[in-house]
Each structure stands twice: as C-alpha cells, then as structure tokens.
Amino acid sequence: MPDIHARFSPSAAKRHMECTPSLLLEEQFPSATSQFAEEGTAGHALAEHLIKKYLKIRSKRPTSDYYTDELVEAVDDYVDYVKEQIELARSECEYPVFNVEKRVDVSNYADNCFGTADMVIVTDNVVHIIDLKLGKGVPVYAEDNYQLMIYGLGILEEYEMLYDIYVVRLTIHQPRLQNINTWEISSTGLKAWGNEVLKPKAALALSGDGDFVAGEHCRFCRAKNQCRARAEEYLRLAQLEFKKAPLLTDDEILEVISKADELSKWAADIYSYAQDEAINSGKVWNGYKLVRGKTNRKYTNEVDVKKAANEAGYNDIFKKTLIGITDMEKLMGKKKFNDILGDLVYKPDGKLTLVPESDKREAVSVSTAADDFKEEI
Ligand code: SF4
C-alpha cells in the first residue's frame, strides 16, 4: 500500500537510501497516481475486508470497478496464505496478535517515516510481516527488502515490551507471478541495520545531501525523466571506448548487455515523457510531429451487424471458443478441475531469456545441436 504523506516513505526507502538527494528532487514533482496504483489500492481494500471477516472483525465489503475475476482470484490467493499463517500462529502461541493494515511508526530511526504493513502477526518469539504485491511485471523479493525491514523495526518497537521477539520474518506474496518468498532476520540484526544504515542514510536523504546514484531504483522516481545523473549514467554506454578491432570482444558485449535493459527502459521513459508533453501540453519538439497510429476496423453495433448479415442470407457468423483455464477452474472448483481436467492441462516451458546472474529464477542448462550430435555418436 502507498505510504500517504510520509516524507521518508518506507515504500520509497530503497531509492532514497541509494540515491539520497532524490528525496528532495522528487518533491519538486507532483505525485501522480496511475491505474495500476488505483487497482492495487482496491485489491488491498478487498484483502483487508476478507481477512477481517476471517478474524471476525466488523468490516464492510468494498466495491470497485477494478474487481475483475482475475484480481479477486489473486487477492483470494493472498488471503488463503494469510489464513494459513493465522492458524499456524494460533497453534504455536497462546496469545498471538493479528493486525490487518497496521499503521507502523518508524520515526525513531527516520524523521517523518511511517507506513502501513498489510498483515502483521506477532507470536511469542516471532514477528511475521506479510506484504501483498499485485504487480505483474517484476518479481519482488523479501531478502533485504528495505520497505519490509522498516516495518519490522516499527513493529519491534511496539511489541518488544510484551513479547521476547528474536526473529523478524518478512514475506512477499505476489499472487499474479506465483511468487511467495520469505526471509528472516534476527531482531538484533535488524536493529543494527536500523541504526547503522537506515538512520544515517535517512538523515542524508531528508537534508538533500549525498550523491545522485542512478540504478534500478530510478524506476519509480518522479524525477527520472529529467534527471541528469540518470541520463549521464546511460549515455556513458554510447561513449564506451571499444578497441579498434572490427568485431566486439565477449567482454565488450557483456558490458553492453549489462546496461542494455536499463538503457532501453530509460530511453522509453524519456520518449514517453516527450510524447506526453506534446499530447497534453502542446509542446513542440523540433523535428518531431504528432500523427495518428494505425487502427483496425470495428463494428459500430453488433446487433445491427447480425441483423443486416442475416437479412442478406449470412447466418453462419458466430464462432464458439473454449473458456480459459482460469474460468474453467472457477466454474468447476479447484478439486473437480484437477480430477476432471488435471491430465489435460500442461504448462509449456517458458521462452528462454538471458538474464543477469542476480535474477532469482533457477538457471536452465541447454544442450546445443552440437552437444546432441556428440551424444549420438
Ligand atoms: S532518477 Fe535515479 S539518479 Fe535521478 S534522482 Fe531519481 S533515483 Fe536519483
């Protein structure tokens, strides 16, 4: 959930700690909401309601135009996981504490730092913070996740007097990517990080000091389209001093691909900023113009089309298609779906993609045509 109005916001902490002057620079730009953010807020509201209902806390089911079957199913996945964790806590601890959408204050470590943790479970020795991420693009991981670590510090402050908490468990649940991952840190380790890393970095950020550092954390920075540090970082690629040989070496290719992904995202951001200015503010960029893209023909009214086609003697004008796997599973229920269609559903291998070593997905080894040939002889 967005941390509304916190100046040092846990959800933006990674960026403001890696690039400390970004906090003040971003304040020059209005914060814009997006359709994805609004959908996320609606999804979180539904999750909150369903968990409260499970805990027998009064709550009214929210309504939203964003509630598609797909979103509701993603939220249900998360809620099922939270229910499991609630039951686990009940079996392990006599008086567990359950907090849904828990406001967390971390101002002892960073001025004006507070946020909302989606789900917090406190048992005798463990604090478990569970965060729902509804993004479908990039997987998010719990390990060294500054947002969740900051929530952990706030929860420790609040509950340490009542419980002997040794472990802070952090979980990211990203149902649309089937990504559930958990990371644990000792409460002493977390507090050491809070004092030695968070505190000084947050102080730098809040005073606008430090150096601009571009990187993956620029993705959601409000200054990213006009940021000079980011532009300089990516333009350095164009100035790589390649050796004079006619072909690039493996090392030079590695240098290019290590930056290519970020470089193309940066170029796309700048392009979309310039286009947005031209469309919405009438900005004229020398040498560029606005044009209309290609479109496909559409029926103005399907009822009229059917009538006109039938009157002209064309009746075979509809086609039937099988409903999708998600809809079929919903129709039959998970168990029946598995019994009836389990053997008729498969998951094809994903397309092979070259990614950096740091990517958490398991590496795939491929055999080349030459290897296959070797095995046959
Ligand atoms: S775009 Fe990146 S480098 Fe520039 S201010 Fe934002 S976080 Fe810092």
Side-chain angles (χ1 to χ4, degrees), residues 56-285:
K56 301 195 170 40
I57 300 170
R58 267 177 81 102
S59 169
K60 193 167 168 249
R61 190 180 177 93
T63 53
S64 166
D65 290 343
Y66 286 110
Y67 292 153
T68 59
D69 287 352
E70 189 274 332
L71 176 62
V72 171
E73 195 176 328
V75 169
D76 279 345
D77 269 3
Y78 162 75
V79 172
D80 284 348
Y81 174 79
V82 170
K83 286 180 189 170
E84 275 171 25
Q85 298 307 309
I86 289 172
E87 291 315 317
L88 192 65
R90 281 176 171 155
S91 70
E92 289 174 353
C93 170
E94 203 175 347
Y95 301 108
V97 175
F98 304 115
N99 281 300
V100 195
E101 291 291 313
K102 166 77 178 155
R103 161 105 177 182
V104 185
D105 186 335
V106 200
S107 48
N108 277 348
Y109 289 89
D111 266 355
N112 216 303
C113 179
F114 55 85
T116 308
D118 295 335
M119 184 71 205
V120 176
I121 299 176
V122 185
T123 53
D124 291 332
N125 305 128
V126 180
V127 158
H128 191 183
I129 295 168
I130 309 169
D131 195 49
L132 167 63
K133 298 277 183 217
L134 283 165
K136 307 177 199 179
V138 183
V140 184
Y141 298 101
E143 186 173 351
D144 284 325
N145 185 300
Y146 287 5
Q147 179 184 9
L148 268 59
M149 289 165 81
I150 291 173
Y151 292 156
L153 286 170
I155 298 295
L156 276 182
E157 291 239 330
E158 191 171 334
Y159 287 100
E160 255 190 338
M161 299 289 279
L162 303 169
Y163 293 82
D164 285 333
I165 298 166
Y166 301 124
V167 172
V168 178
R169 184 177 296 147
L170 308 175
T171 294
I172 296 280
H173 195 298
Q174 202 171 6
R176 284 162 155 175
L177 293 180
Q178 282 97 48
N179 170 29
I180 306 174
N181 66 93
T182 297
W183 181 67
E184 291 185 353
I185 182 169
S186 67
S187 54
T188 44
L190 184 60
K191 282 189 276 184
W193 175 83
N195 285 313
E196 290 157 24
V197 182
L198 173 62
K199 249 186 200 175
K201 287 280 185 186
L204 271 183
L206 287 159
S207 59
D209 291 330
D211 295 323
F212 285 102
V213 178
E216 278 185 26
H217 53 266
C218 296
R219 196 159 160 247
F220 294 110
C221 180
R222 298 208 291 271
K224 69 179 182 181
N225 293 321
Q226 286 154 280
C227 173
R228 184 168 302 282
R230 189 170 180 239
E232 283 174 357
E233 169 70 17
Y234 295 128
L235 288 173
R236 268 196 299 146
L237 179 67
Q239 294 160 5
L240 283 179
E241 285 195 13
F242 294 128
K243 289 179 194 144
K244 291 282 186 277
L247 297 178
L248 296 180
T249 64
D250 284 358
D251 282 349
E252 286 166 342
I253 289 174
L254 265 180
E255 180 143 21
V256 173
I257 60 173
S258 71
K259 297 209 169 83
D261 193 33
E262 286 297 311
L263 181 68
S264 67
K265 278 186 211 145
W266 170 70
D269 284 345
I270 300 286
Y271 196 90
S272 114
Y273 164 75
Q275 184 166 274
D276 191 60
E277 285 288 292
I279 294 170
N280 297 316
S281 309
K283 168 105 180 164
V284 177
W285 300 98

Side-chain angles (χ1 to χ4, degrees), residues 291-298:
V291 294
R292 293 232 174 254
K294 279 191 184 155
T295 55
N296 292 325
R297 294 174 300 164
K298 288 181 177 209

Side-chain angles (χ1 to χ4, degrees), residues 301-316:
N301 180 321
E302 292 195 2
V303 176
D304 291 348
V305 168
K306 175 183 176 293
K307 190 167 167 254
N310 289 163
E311 280 169 8
Y314 296 95
N315 295 308
D316 194 12

